[in-house]
Every structure is written in structure tokens, then in C-alpha cells.
Amino acid sequence: SKGKYEHYMQKEIHEQPESLTTTMRGRLIRGGSSKKKSVLLGGLKDHLKTIRRSRRIVFIGCGTSYNAALAARPVLEELCGIPVMMEIASDLLDRQAPVYRDDTILFVSQSGETADTLNALEYALENGALCVGITNTVGSSIARNTHCGVHINAGSEIGVASTKAYTSQIVVMAMVALAIGADTISTKQRREGIIESLLSLPGKIKEVLKLDQEMKDLARSLISEQSLLMFGRGYNYATALEGALKVKEVALMHSEGILAGEMKHGPLALVDENLPIVVIATRDQCFSKQQSVIQQLKARKGRLIVMCTEGDAAAVCGGSCRVIEVPQVVDCLQPVVNIVPLQLLAYHLTVLRGYNVDQPRNLAKSVTTE
Ligand code: UD1
Ligand code: F6R
């Protein structure tokens, strides 16, 4: 039931502090006399040695699940030291791309029933890869047919637009990275820092949800736009893609996520004083590069909405553009926080434009045909 909420999407956005808590429950071990912190994923523990020996790790998914994998890719690369490749399920099949026996393939799917992802799983099994599922649905086809995996335990998601599953998927994949990398002494401090940040994440999501009214006001200012661009890079390239996907699928507004590093290679031509552009510029190692992107967009009179770390409004655009200030967490988990205002924005845009939030036209929750 929707309880006090008007729509499932709204309920599912607002319950993320709880869904993330459930996702992590029993899986983060803190304490002992040594104050040791570690991750325990029951579904992976017997397979970690094999995964560590694999030549590459490949993520396969569609839509939001692909975006979640993209958000987790940098931390997986960092902690595992194994090349991580990204594949959209249908594209892997279209190309009949090579898959090897010493590949570990992570199949990411909320429903566990997406036809494209299932077909890719069948293909990978035939080719002898180790197939790992990351799914929300116990007993689903992907959960049953993978060699092993992790349930994200986000609770059932009813709104067609995926919201709480996205944040839980990123958290699970960060935990997978921590588990695979747990045998590397040189990353111990980094891993402990990430675990600490995971534990504080539900509280940070509670804080960022307080932007609800601000996002409603922002949505009101965008209600009759034709298009909305979102620029991100590094950890938050995925945030740009996922924010844009939410806006287009529920608010039925054209929106495009753009890798900021590609700006000068085409998208810059679109910039004028009318087109609204969200720029994600929270603190991480890409911050100074994003600052220069903002300067260049401003030089072309771009209509900017900048997402920045709390307290950074003046630093990012000298007070001359609209800002969304979000609480800071460890860099690799920042996408979990940053997507929330964009989910709220898409939600309010949809309601204000008078469209069906929970069942956007032409879409189904689970895409069981190719
Ligand atoms: C499991 C129990 C959980 C219990 C916990 C206690 C289930 C579903 N989970 O959680 O109720 O509280 O032990 O220790 O009974 N798997 C796949 N493919 C997938 C997802 C999972 O093969 O896509 C497999 C895993 O390898 C594992 C099993 O399903 O063998 C359960 O996975 P998961 O629920 O993530 O394991 P735990 O967190 O240990
Ligand atoms: C977007 C959305 C879709 C799904 C995609 C994959 O909000 O819901 O893009 O993410 O159809 O579905 P799953 O994760 O069930 O495989």
C-alpha cells in the first residue's frame, strides 16, 4: 500500500533510508577487539577466490540497472585491480561479443526477469563464464540460473520507474568490490573508510530527502521546457544518465545525460541562454575539471543548475546560478546521494505536467520480451 503517499514512486523515493538499511543488514561486520570492519556477502563468499583470478569482470544489464553498474564500476576497478567492462544486454547479443571461461560476469536486474539480460545470461553460461546475479527478486529466473549472487533486499518496487532498487544496487556492488578486494592490504584504510560511509549512508539520504520542496519548486520552473541536459563525469557520469532516464521516462520530457569530458566534442553546440542544464559538481577528484566545465558553460550564457557539496555554492558558480546542495559522503558512494534530488525532480515534474507517475505510457515494469 502507498500509506501516506500519493504515488508508489514517491513512496519508494522516500523509503530509501530504510531500503538501504535493509540492503546492508547483516552484511557489514564492525567491531571485535581490533575494531576490524569487513563485508560478508553469504552468496559470494565461496566464489571470491575464483572471481579474484578472473581476467576481466563484465557488467551486464539494461536501463537503470545498467546505470547502477556504471556508478559502481570505478570502485570495483579501484579495489579489485581487474578490468571492468560494461555491456548493455541487447548490445552484447547483437554483437555476439566474445565471452571467456575466465570472465566473471555480473548480471544486474531488479526484476530478475528482463528478457535481454536473461538471454545474455544464457549466452554467457554457454560460453563458460562465471555468472553472478545481483537482483532484487528471490526465486527470479536470474537468481535461479546464475552460479551465485547477491540479493539486494530493497523490498518490492512497484512504480515502473526504478528508484530505491537503483540505490540498493549501487550499495551492493560497492560491497561486492569490498569483498573481492578484501585480501589486498594496501587498500585496507580505503576499504574501512568506505564501510564507515556505508553505515552513515541512510542518515545522509534522510538529509538529502529534505530537498523535496526545493525540487518541487525547481520542477515548477522547468514545467514547460522541451529538454533538459545533465552533465556528469567520473563517479557521477552514471548520475547524469540515470537522472536523465528518470526525467524522460516519467515526465515525458526529452533529457540526456552527457559525459562532461565529451562536452567540447559536440554537446557544447546546444548551449544557449534557454536550454536548462544540470551540472553535477560534488567534491571528488574531478571537481576542478567540473569547475572549468561550469566556467565554459557560463561563458556561453548556459542556464545552469549546479549540484554541489553543501557549502560549495559560492565556490562553484559565485552565486550566479541555481544550486542543489547535497551532503557529502565518500566519493564512490556520492552517486547514491546525488541521484535522490534528481528522482524528486522527475517525480514532481511528472505530477506538475499531469502525467501518470507510476505507469508511464508505453512502459512495463518488467520487460519480458526482446
Ligand atoms: C541468506 C538468506 C537470508 C538470510 C541470510 C542469513 C535467502 C534468499 N537469503 O542471505 O534470508 O537472512 O542468508 O545468513 O534465503 N544467488 C544467486 N543468484 C542471485 C542472487 C543470489 O545464485 O542472483 C544465491 C546466492 O549465491 C546464495 C543465495 O542465492 O547462495 C542467497 O543469496 P543472498 O540472499 O544474497 O544471501 P545472504 O545474504 O547470505
Ligand atoms: C527505468 C527502468 C528500466 C529498468 C530496465 C531493467 O526506471 O525501470 O530501465 O531498469 O527495464 O529492468 P530490470 O532491472 O528489472 O532488469
Side-chain angles (χ1 to χ4, degrees), residues 4 9 16 19 33 49 64 75 85 115 170 172 189 196 205 243-244 258 260 276 282 315 321 334 339 358 366 368:
K4 62 179 177 178
M9 183 182 178
Q16 290 178 103
S19 53
S33 52
K49 278 203 179 116
T64 291
V75 71
M85 307 196 47
I170 300 175
V172 161
Q189 269 202 338
E196 271 310 312
I205 302 296
I258 294 173
T282 43
C321 48
Q334 195 66 46
I339 195 59
D358 286 334
S366 177
T368 54

Side-chain angles (χ1 to χ4, degrees), residues 25 27 40-44 47 107 131-135 137-140 142-153:
R25 182 165 296 139
R27 291 168 163 175
L40 178 70
L41 296 171
L44 280 197
H47 302 267
F107 293 85
C131 295
V132 180
I134 311 260
T135 177
T137 316
V138 177
S140 62
I142 288 174
R144 282 185 283 110
N145 296 327
T146 40
H147 295 117
C148 60
V150 188
H151 290 114
I152 68 167
N153 299 337

Side-chain angles (χ1 to χ4, degrees), residues 348-363:
H348 287 297
L349 256 180
T350 310
V351 175
L352 291 166
R353 282 159 68 91
Y355 297 121
N356 188 331
V357 192
D358 286 334
Q359 293 207 288
R361 71 177 182 206
N362 309 340
L363 298 180

Side-chain angles (χ1 to χ4, degrees), residues 153-359:
N153 299 337
S156 66
E157 191 179 64
I158 293 166
V160 165
S162 187
T163 52
K164 64 174 179 168
Y166 179 74
T167 48
S168 283
Q169 284 168 333
I170 300 175
V171 161
V172 161
M173 290 183 270
M175 291 195 291
V176 168
L178 290 164
I180 299 172
D183 64 334
T184 308
I185 292 155
S186 62
T187 59
K188 184 169 178 285
Q189 269 202 338
R190 168 71 164 159
R191 284 185 280 111
E192 292 190 350
I194 297 170
I195 294 173
E196 271 310 312
S197 197
L198 280 168
L199 292 163
S200 72
L201 201 51
K204 301 285 183 180
I205 302 296
K206 245 180 225 161
E207 271 180 56
V208 77
L209 281 165
K210 291 182 188 152
L211 293 173
D212 191 40
Q213 185 60 45
E214 204 176 311
M215 291 305 105
K216 189 173 178 178
D217 296 341
L218 178 61
R220 200 170 280 120
S221 75
L222 296 172
I223 186 166
S224 42
E225 295 302 331
Q226 297 282 330
S227 183
L228 177 61
L229 300 187
M230 302 207 188
F231 280 72
R233 72 195 311 145
Y235 293 111
N236 288 289
Y237 173 37
T239 309
L241 293 186
E242 176 60 8
L245 179 59
K246 289 300 86 122
V247 168
K248 94 181 96 183
E249 72 173 327
V250 290
L252 315 188
M253 180 186 288
H254 171 254
S255 187
E256 201 179 323
I258 294 173
L259 185 65
E262 282 286 287
M263 180 178 74
K264 289 183 185 168
H265 304 291
L268 194 55
L270 288 171
V271 178
D272 63 13
E273 65 275 25
N274 301 312
L275 176 64
I277 305 175
V278 174
V279 184
I280 300 153
T282 43
R283 292 271 174 175
D284 59 25
Q285 71 267 39
C286 297
F287 181 65
S288 64
K289 284 188 173 179
Q290 273 312 67
Q291 278 183 305
S292 100
V293 162
I294 291 168
Q295 289 319 315
Q296 296 175 46
L297 291 170
K298 278 174 73 173
R300 283 153 188 90
K301 302 197 166 49
R303 194 175 143 198
L304 304 189
I305 301 150
V306 178
M307 182 181 294
C308 66
T309 302
E310 261 163 11
D312 262 356
V316 290
C317 56
S320 66
C321 48
R322 191 142 192 169
V323 295
I324 305 170
E325 288 192 59
V326 297
Q328 185 168 25
V329 295
V330 71
D331 51 10
C332 63
L333 297 175
Q334 195 66 46
V336 178
V337 171
N338 291 2
I339 195 59
V340 174
L342 303 179
Q343 294 171 339
L344 291 167
L345 176 65
Y347 170 76
H348 287 297
L349 256 180
T350 310
V351 175
L352 291 166
R353 282 159 68 91
Y355 297 121
N356 188 331
V357 192
D358 286 334
Q359 293 207 288

Side-chain angles (χ1 to χ4, degrees), residues 17-37:
E18 294 76 36
S19 53
L20 288 171
T21 302
T22 316
T23 295
M24 292 185 276
R25 182 165 296 139
R27 291 168 163 175
L28 295 178
I29 316 298
R30 187 197 219 174
S33 52
S34 60
K35 294 251 164 44
K36 191 168 154 275
K37 301 183 200 79

